[in-house]
Amino acid sequence: MQYEKRYRQAVMSESIVVYQVNFSKDLIEEEFSQRTEDDEEVKVLSAVSLHAPCSYNEYCLRWSRRVADDCMSAYRRLDTCEKLLKIYARGITSASIEYRTRDATEKGIWVNKTVQMMEDEETKDILGLVCLKDITKQREKEIYAREMRKKATMDLMTGLLNHVSGEMAIRERLLSRQDQEYALFVFDVDEFKSINDRRGHQFGDAVLKKTADILLSVCRMKDVAARMGG
């Protein structure tokens, strides 16, 4: 018990929410709160109109209405006692997911949910300590980094690879599968300079964007499409 208490205190220092579940009995035995940035505490179960003791399955079902649709598949991996007991039966004592949700204060955040499972020596019930961490800043940094990498490799006007990234992608493809045959198509816009001169650069840009849209619409996932000109 002393070890469990020290462990709980350690994870609480890094988490916004920590609570215990008896997965064998589908039971959250105690109330738990969310720590806010102002170090205040907000009752989490109250946000979904529940009070302890209550069902873990019911709690997760109600909370799912606050989870972003594009994260629902991840959220549902750990949303019932049955799923967690199956994970534990395979010898796995720790499981983790990430999803986007509204917290108990209605703030939109990214959450890392980790469940540590153990068997009670006396009752043989499977118990779990659930820890929720706010990873919003981490995810925002990752999204920003991806956007910067995308901007470095893409031609921003057309959405195609720029000429440097295009040449690298083509070279990598040729070197990785030298036994495979490839087709290389080069497209050009006829009299493009005269289009810019007569209709203006804004119209010329629109022509390039339309050409790129048509090209991308027929490309497969494995195809390389790049803007090689200036």
Side-chain angles (χ1 to χ4, degrees), residues 4 18 33 35 37 41-42 44 70 81 88 96-97 109 112 124 126 134 152 193 199 214 222:
E4 183 180 327
V18 177
S33 302
R35 283 194 304 114
E37 293 180 351
E41 292 191 350
V42 181
V44 176
D70 59 343
C81 294
Y88 186 81
S96 182
I97 56 172
I109 61 172
N112 172 279
K124 303 304 180 183
I126 305 304
D134 183 348
K193 184 179 183 303
R199 305 292 297 272
I214 295 171
K222 60 183 179 180

Side-chain angles (χ1 to χ4, degrees), residues 153-154 158-176 180 182-187 212 215-228:
T153 60
M154 303 295 287
T158 62
L160 305 174
L161 293 175
N162 60 36
H163 72 281
V164 175
S165 299
E167 288 179 8
M168 290 177 62
I170 293 169
R171 186 180 297 112
E172 181 181 342
R173 181 70 57 80
L174 293 173
L175 292 176
S176 63
Q180 189 168 334
Y182 296 94
L184 177 64
F185 299 92
V186 180
F187 298 89
L215 177 59
L216 288 172
S217 70
V218 297
C219 281
R220 301 164 299 181
M221 288 292 293
K222 60 183 179 180
D223 291 335
V224 175
R227 179 183 179 188
M228 308 306 289

Side-chain angles (χ1 to χ4, degrees), residues 14-59:
E14 301 177 357
S15 307
I16 57 171
V17 173
V18 177
Y19 63 97
Q20 185 169 306
V21 183
N22 186 322
F23 291 119
S24 297
K25 295 180 179 177
D26 183 20
L27 186 64
I28 299 175
E29 299 174 336
E30 59 183 342
E31 297 284 346
F32 56 94
S33 302
Q34 173 192 324
R35 283 194 304 114
T36 67
E37 293 180 351
D38 301 326
D39 230 17
E40 297 179 356
E41 292 191 350
V42 181
K43 296 293 184 183
V44 176
L45 290 174
S46 299
V48 288
S49 303
L50 286 172
H51 299 283
C54 64
S55 160
Y56 174 80
N57 291 357
E58 180 63 23
Y59 162 65

Side-chain angles (χ1 to χ4, degrees), residues 122-216:
E122 295 180 6
T123 66
K124 303 304 180 183
D125 288 342
I126 305 304
L127 308 179
L129 198 60
V130 183
C131 310
L132 303 183
K133 295 182 181 180
D134 183 348
I135 58 168
T136 306
K137 291 181 180 179
Q138 174 187 331
R139 291 301 294 252
E140 287 176 347
K141 287 180 181 178
E142 291 173 357
I143 292 171
Y144 178 77
R146 282 202 302 270
E147 288 298 317
M148 290 299 100
R149 287 195 295 270
K150 183 177 179 181
K151 287 182 179 180
T153 60
M154 303 295 287
D155 176 67
L156 299 182
M157 187 179 72
T158 62
L160 305 174
L161 293 175
N162 60 36
H163 72 281
V164 175
S165 299
E167 288 179 8
M168 290 177 62
I170 293 169
R171 186 180 297 112
E172 181 181 342
R173 181 70 57 80
L174 293 173
L175 292 176
S176 63
R177 293 291 302 275
Q178 298 185 34
D179 58 329
Q180 189 168 334
E181 293 185 350
Y182 296 94
L184 177 64
F185 299 92
V186 180
F187 298 89
D188 195 10
V189 178
D190 292 339
E191 301 181 6
F192 186 66
K193 184 179 183 303
S194 64
I195 292 175
N196 280 332
D197 292 342
R198 287 185 285 118
R199 305 292 297 272
H201 288 280
Q202 188 172 0
F203 185 85
D205 289 349
V207 171
L208 292 180
K209 289 178 184 178
K210 184 63 177 178
T211 304
D213 289 343
I214 295 171
L215 177 59
L216 288 172

